[in-house]
Amino acid sequence: MLRVLSNSCLKHRFQTHTSKLLPSNGGDNKGPLLRILNSIRSSNEKNTSFYIKRVFFCSDSSDGSGNSSSSSSVVEVEAEAAVENVEEIDSKSSSVVIVSTNPRPEDYLEVLAIPLSHRPLFPGFYMPVNVKDPKMLAALVESRKRHAPYAGAFLVKDEPGTDPSIGSEAEKNISDLKGKELYDRLHEVGTLAQITNIQGDLVVLMGHRRLRMTEMVTDDPLTVKVDHLKDKQYNKDDDILKATSFEVISTLRDVLKTSSLWRDHVQTYTQHIGDFTYPRLADFGAAISGANKSKCQEVLEELDVHERLRLTLELVKKEMEISKIQEAIAKAIEEKISGEQRRYLLNEQLKAIKKELGLETDDKTALSAKFRERLEPKKEKCPPHVLQVIEEELTKLQLLEASSSEFNVTRTYLDWLTALPWGSYSDENFDVHRAQTILDEDHYGLTDVKERILEFIAVGKLRGTSQGKIICLSGPPGVGKTSIGRSIARALNRKFYRFSVGGLADVAEIKGHRRTYIGAMPGKMVQCLKNVETSNPLVLIDEIDKLGRGHAGDPASALLELLDPEQNANFLDHYLDVPIDLSKVLFVCTANVVEMIPNPLLDRMEVISIAGYITDEKMHIARDYLEKTTREACGITPEQVEVKEAAFLALIESYCREAGVRNLQKQIEKIYRKIALQLVREAGPDETSQVQVAEADEDKKSLDVSGESSIEGKAINAESKESVVGVQATETSSEAEQIHSDLPCDKIQVDSKENIAEASEPMEKAQETDRSATIKKVTIDESNLSDYVGKPVFQAERIYEQTPIGVVMGLAWTAMGGSTLYIETTHVEQGDGKGALHATGQLGDVMKESSQIAHTVARAILLGKEPDNSFFANSKLHLHVPAGATPKDGPSAGCTMITSMLSLAMKKPVKKDLAMTGEVTLTGKILPIGGVKEKTIAARRSGVKTVIFPSANRRDFDELAANVKEGLEVHFVEDYEQIFKLAFADD
């Protein structure tokens, strides 16, 4: 900064700053130098002006630090100029000579080259620089001690091949550059900088003027020769120059409004706006801008003042745009944060106001009030120990912080405790006749199951209350076990809840989780009570024979407490940790195979076996239940379809031979789906869409032919409508034509869409009647059944009309019901002592042992009947059970095997239409078997007339319904001798 000082000011500053440097003599208060300056005051005007020109040069700071920041340099420069002038004046008037010790800045033609890595140094600005080179640092310290505190600051060029806009992490350290390498990397134009302070390796530089390097003098530390650069001449009154400078000043002021980063610098500018010149204004704008170093170096190298101002204007304009973007980002974030804070404050104020007015309480008080209100209706019936736990948890809830995890655990726990129906029971209906009606409506047959339910209801009526029972319905798939449970709940007027335990391997599903676990939940029974809101529901536990067992425990063992009538009055769930009374709950379990249920669990159940349905029962179910439901689901009326009895019989015998009726329902649905498709195809295209198209066409014609309302035009429109709506245009009903012709003319208007629709309604009804008459009724008979359900799946089980020698029909039980089973024995090889038996047919271990026992017993019986017959001793036999792909096992085929072997040995076939079942001991005793009902049904299905059962199974057979036993001649035997007489008796 250029400053002009008056004579009085100069005198005062010299008195202040040089009094110590130039001591006084004796009692005179003025030193020699000051006495010389006082003598100068009377000099001529010419000498004074010369003195001012020499002394008033100083380089002040323009970075906002004020006069104090450069006071030392001003003193040094002023002292230097004063000494020089005094020396010149005294050379003429006195013999005293003062030698200058501080050279002028322009006298420095060789300077130390300090490399700058980030930005160039502009004249009038300070810059701290870290000097890592020890030799360079020592040279700078030495220069400052010698009162020559000046050096050259030059910007380092970017490495070749690098993008200057992208910072490189691998950029070579400047301190590693030495000598010629450093010299080549420096920009030619730099700044003469005064060393104002050195602390450690931190050197503070203040720029004075521009320099240009010419050549290298020394390499370590780097010293270069420089030329001092001056700005080109310019016209201060140039309008373009003024306008550019004004725009720079205006932009700087705008930046001050938007960005606080420039505030200190711009405030300095506004305080000293009068002292700024055009070159300094350009340097000021470039120095404080955030432009990259190449742009700033371009401003530094520019000596044309107008061009420098233009470049600076570009930089500050860019800064202005960046400031606007910064302001927009800050405003958006501030709005978001302030909006959330404002909403939070308003919510808190609203809560405080509501609480003050008594309109609302805080969260914990509201929760406690909600739980107490929920518990109030059940408080009298709730057990005391449960009430105590609830009160303790409510007190604990008030002491916990709402943000703690324990608060949420306690809140959820109280939610479950207060939601359970403590002591709340639904009113049961003990009307036996109503229950009988409901059970008969939902299910055909199943007399034993219905009888057991009616007994349960009768006992409850006599006692006035009902106790929970555990009933297990076992039977093949599709016999209606699950639906029976739903019907029982409806008959008893109990709430129904079902959950399946098939594949369940986690005990926590039954007993619940501990509350300490994250995401803990109560068990199924607690969830059930919360859902049904009564303490005496009917709970159906499905597929109890398919319980799993994994690393999470044994659910079958966990069910023991739940299904034990002596223990479930105090069932303890791990989550609730308070006893729950389940003694009033009626448990109904379902299973396919009872043998798969663990014995301790099975011991707690009352098993009711559902063996399956015979053909007559399936016929009734298909006709009265399945067909009706399927027909309604498909949208077909009874007048459109007729399924003959023969079709149902063929469907049951040849397609759905299993014990249940689920597959029968699927086949009936398949039939009705195909019938629905057939009816839709015969009905023709969609009539509704055609009517809409016809109305649209008529509207268009009425618009085109406006004003024509003749009866002839009406008739044409009506005829076109008939041709579109009718399914068959050639079969228009004469009745519809008569109705149409009788319509009054004043009610038919071409331009009225509503009247046209009203006039066509009788005609459409007549056409619908005509179409319904033309649709033929679909009849399903045995002859066309295969067109709807495909070819028959099952052939007749009975392979032989009269079983040949060595072949006997047995009766077997399967999970799908009962079936007949042929056992065949043939002679393989004859020879002395070659008696042996080979069994095939994928038999299990039990049946293999049965075949060996049967072989031994058959030899003993043959020896007693025909002592001379050595067939078994000298014959190798092969016993086979057909359907080798099906695994077979079980202790009920012994007597059948013996009969087959004896038939072959005696060369005599067994009695016609005979089937038998039973296991034989080595002494010939017949042991009881299972599945009497299934085997009886299988015998009837195969047309068997005579059946042989062990005498121990007489009780099971007597319990069968009369329609199952009808037409069978049943013999109960204790010893094989009885079977021998029945099988080989002479007709």
Side-chain angles (χ1 to χ4, degrees), residues 362-422:
D362 59 354
D363 293 341
K364 291 191 288 187
T365 308
L367 278 174
S368 299
K370 184 184 77 170
F371 292 143
R372 291 184 185 279
E373 182 181 356
R374 186 189 293 175
L375 186 65
E376 191 63 32
K378 318 168 191 173
K379 200 165 186 178
E380 296 180 358
K381 301 178 182 178
C382 188
H385 62 276
V386 177
L387 285 175
Q388 182 181 356
V389 171
I390 292 175
E391 290 297 332
E392 291 175 356
E393 292 296 323
L394 285 172
T395 306
K396 178 181 175 183
L397 187 72
Q398 292 295 328
L399 300 175
L400 292 171
E401 288 293 332
S403 58
S404 66
S405 59
E406 185 69 19
F407 180 84
N408 293 326
V409 173
T410 306
R411 181 183 61 185
T412 310
Y413 181 50
L414 280 169
D415 191 16
W416 280 100
L417 273 178
T418 56
L420 292 182
W422 301 105

Side-chain angles (χ1 to χ4, degrees), residues 101 251 261 273 387 591 768:
T101 59
T251 307
L261 298 176
I273 186 170
L387 285 175
E768 288 177 2

Side-chain angles (χ1 to χ4, degrees), residues 22-78:
L22 304 175
S24 60
N25 295 325
D28 193 357
N29 292 333
K30 298 180 181 179
L33 180 58
L34 296 180
R35 289 199 299 272
I36 294 172
L37 292 176
N38 288 332
S39 66
I40 298 173
R41 295 182 60 186
S42 60
S43 302
N44 53 35
E45 186 68 19
K46 180 178 178 181
N47 290 336
T48 303
S49 62
F50 172 76
Y51 171 78
I52 291 172
K53 291 179 182 177
R54 296 289 293 167
V55 171
F56 292 162
F57 171 80
C58 68
S59 297
D60 202 358
S61 172
S62 59
D63 62 346
S65 59
N67 294 334
S68 62
S69 62
S70 58
S71 60
S72 61
S73 61
V74 171
V75 171
E76 290 173 1
V77 175
E78 290 175 348

